[in-house]
Amino acid sequence: MRRFSSVLLLGAASLALAACANDAARYPSLARRAAEYPQPPPPPPAPAPQPSAEVLGKLEALVARARSADARFRQNAPGAIARIRAASGAAVASESWAEATIALSDLESQRSEAMIALADLDAIYASERVAGTDTTAIEFARGLVLDMVAQEDAVLAGLRGALAS
């Protein structure tokens, strides 16, 4: 009897599997599709166009403007430092405190000139980036001006702290 039930079970399983394979149109083929074959790599993108001569000229002018402001900043920084040291411990609104504040304001004004050049560089960068132009030269110019401004910011922060104490 046991053998008969095994044969019967084997027969029923065969019929069930045959029923599944009967409707081949309903199921997708297991053959490889075109997307499953190796594809060649896409071609490299075309290089971005270089900035125009006009843009490069603007970059040079803006970096020169920032360098000029930085040179004035560095020239006036020792005098401002001396005035702020002289005002150390002086009362607010005293003559030495007022002179130190004016000297600090002059330095901040020169830093602002460098920041204006940086803002113009940022506008050129954004415009050229949107246009799909190579921005390497612009990024280099921005880096130069950012370094100048960062050094000026460090000096100003120290001077503000010294004036406040």
Side-chain angles (χ1 to χ4, degrees), residues 9-26:
L9 185 61
L10 185 60
S14 297
L15 287 174
L17 287 176
C20 289
N22 199 10
D23 196 6
R26 281 184 58 195

Side-chain angles (χ1 to χ4, degrees), residues 129-150:
R129 184 74 181 204
V130 168
T133 307
D134 181 15
T135 56
T136 305
I138 303 167
E139 291 169 6
F140 180 76
R142 280 186 76 242
L144 291 174
V145 176
L146 276 172
D147 288 344
M148 287 180 226
V149 170

Side-chain angles (χ1 to χ4, degrees), residues 146-159:
L146 276 172
D147 288 344
M148 287 180 226
V149 170
Q151 291 172 6
E152 293 170 1
D153 283 344
V155 170
L156 289 171
L159 293 177

Side-chain angles (χ1 to χ4, degrees), residues 76-144:
N76 294 333
I81 291 169
R83 285 189 180 94
I84 290 172
R85 283 187 182 150
S88 179
V92 174
S94 67
E95 183 69 26
S96 61
W97 181 86
E99 288 177 2
T101 302
I102 290 169
L104 182 61
S105 297
D106 287 343
L107 287 180
E108 288 174 340
S109 175
Q110 287 141 15
R111 178 204 170 267
S112 294
E113 290 179 35
M115 284 300 296
I116 290 169
L118 181 59
D120 290 344
L121 285 169
D122 286 344
I124 291 171
Y125 175 80
S127 173
E128 294 297 309
R129 184 74 181 204
V130 168
T133 307
D134 181 15
T135 56
T136 305
I138 303 167
E139 291 169 6
F140 180 76
R142 280 186 76 242
L144 291 174

Side-chain angles (χ1 to χ4, degrees), residues 23-91:
D23 196 6
R26 281 184 58 195
Y27 301 101
S29 167
L30 296 179
R32 286 180 102 178
R33 292 165 182 81
E36 294 172 336
Y37 289 100
Q39 300 293 320
Q50 294 299 314
S52 68
E54 177 186 357
V55 169
L56 293 176
K58 287 180 183 178
L59 294 179
E60 290 175 17
L62 290 170
V63 170
R65 182 175 166 188
R67 281 190 174 134
S68 174
D70 186 58
R72 285 192 307 278
F73 182 93
R74 293 185 184 287
Q75 181 182 5
N76 294 333
I81 291 169
R83 285 189 180 94
I84 290 172
R85 283 187 182 150
S88 179

